[in-house]
Amino acid sequence: MAEYRIDDLARAAGTTARNVRAYQERGLLATPTRRSGRALIYDDSHLARLRIIDALLQRGFTTAHIADFITSWETGKDLTEVLGLQQAVTATWGSSAAPLEVPRELVDTFLGGVDGAPVTGDELERLAELGLIRLHAETVEFTQPELLETFGALHGYGFGLEALIDVYAAVGRRVDDIARLMVTAAKDHIVAEHGAGWLPDSDAEVAATTKMLNHLRELGVTAVQNTLAQALDRVLQSELSAYLEAAAEKRGATKQPKD
């Protein structure tokens, strides 16, 4: 296990020695028992804890919240489990397609109500119905981890989880309609080319049909991404213009001299 003096530890964690001392005073970081002369000697467990603290601070937690969370998380847990939280907190969720399983407490912290209310059972059930999570006894498994980061970021602006689920579900219904349109087009093309009930008889026909379907899929994905991006730009510009116009009229009205 590596050894660090306080300046070396701070540098490795991307923080300052002053912060390290402050975390120790607030009970977030254990004071090491080893010394070299008068200098305290830290180890990898301190570095891992600092990275956890930094990740939580970056996501808007206060040091008081972090202290409560770490204390509750450590209750009944061994060191390996505690340090394993680092992976759940600091993983680059948006770049990984693999499911991400996180403690139930972490879900509440990211997605609970702005007043600190936990995620409700109904909200979890809706997320599960949409295929976004799998529920386990003490953890929640996110099947699309990038959405946890996106939902968490919007939650930081005051968006409630229920409203975000409504938006996602509404978009999903419209995307389902587009998917049916694309699949119907593929089916109609196959029937027109080969007749109803046709199935590929050779490896070459299987490969050709698969390639065609993949190209059609690429067309659908590209069309949805491009047209949605363009539509968002148009609607945002229109709505923003209308909002600014109404705001200007309201401000002008409040500045009118009274008789």
Side-chain angles (χ1 to χ4, degrees):
M1 183 173 287
E3 296 182 351
Y4 309 88
R5 292 174 182 261
I6 191 168
D7 290 334
D8 298 328
L9 177 70
R11 190 179 304 110
T15 186
T16 65
R18 181 179 180 180
N19 283 341
V20 174
R21 294 188 183 95
Y23 299 153
Q24 287 178 192
E25 292 172 0
R26 295 171 186 173
L28 302 179
L29 185 71
T31 301
T33 57
R34 293 188 56 212
R35 290 179 177 270
S36 176
R38 299 179 60 185
L40 294 171
I41 301 299
Y42 300 82
D43 58 33
D44 285 335
S45 68
H46 294 96
L47 179 59
R49 173 61 62 84
L50 283 175
R51 287 174 174 164
I52 292 172
I53 294 169
D54 180 66
L56 294 173
L57 287 171
Q58 299 252 350
R59 296 181 183 279
F61 298 153
T62 66
T63 53
H65 291 154
I66 294 171
D68 290 341
F69 181 76
I70 289 178
T71 299
S72 64
W73 176 253
E74 286 181 330
T75 303
K77 306 290 184 180
D78 61 27
L79 183 62
T80 302
E81 290 175 300
V82 173
L83 297 183
L85 175 62
Q86 179 189 346
Q87 181 179 1
V89 174
T90 62
T92 307
W93 298 321
S95 64
S96 174
L100 175 68
E101 193 168 349
V102 301
R104 181 66 170 75
E105 299 94 325
L106 195 59
V107 177
D108 288 338
T109 305
F110 283 129
L111 303 180
V114 294
D115 57 353
V119 177
T120 68
D122 288 343
E123 289 168 339
L124 289 176
E125 289 295 334
R126 289 191 66 193
L127 288 171
E129 289 172 2
L130 291 169
L132 299 179
I133 65 170
R134 300 186 187 98
L135 299 174
H136 304 292
E138 297 182 359
T139 61
V140 175
E141 183 180 2
F142 285 80
T143 59
Q144 298 182 39
E146 66 276 7
L147 284 175
L148 173 59
E149 187 168 10
T150 302
F151 278 22
L154 290 171
H155 176 260
Y157 289 100
F159 283 85
L161 180 57
E162 185 176 0
L164 295 175
I165 294 173
D166 288 342
V167 171
Y168 184 89
V171 171
R173 287 191 293 270
R174 288 161 174 78
V175 172
D176 280 345
D177 292 338
I178 296 171
R180 290 189 184 90
L181 176 66
M182 302 299 293
V183 172
T184 298
K187 181 175 64 176
D188 291 346
H189 172 75
I190 290 173
V191 171
E193 288 287 313
H194 305 285
W198 175 84
L199 291 174
D201 292 326
S202 65
D203 289 344
E205 289 181 337
V206 170
T209 303
T210 301
K211 188 174 182 179
M212 181 272 292
L213 292 173
N214 283 336
H215 281 313
L216 194 62
R217 181 181 183 277
E218 291 171 3
L219 171 63
V221 171
T222 301
V224 169
Q225 289 178 335
N226 291 346
T227 55
L228 179 58
Q230 293 168 9
L232 284 170
D233 287 341
R234 289 195 305 270
V235 174
L236 178 60
Q237 184 175 2
S238 173
E239 292 294 326
L240 182 59
S241 297
Y243 178 85
L244 292 176
E245 182 179 350
E249 291 178 356
K250 182 177 181 181
R251 177 168 295 183
T254 59
K255 291 183 177 181
Q256 292 281 340
K258 295 183 179 180
D259 294 335

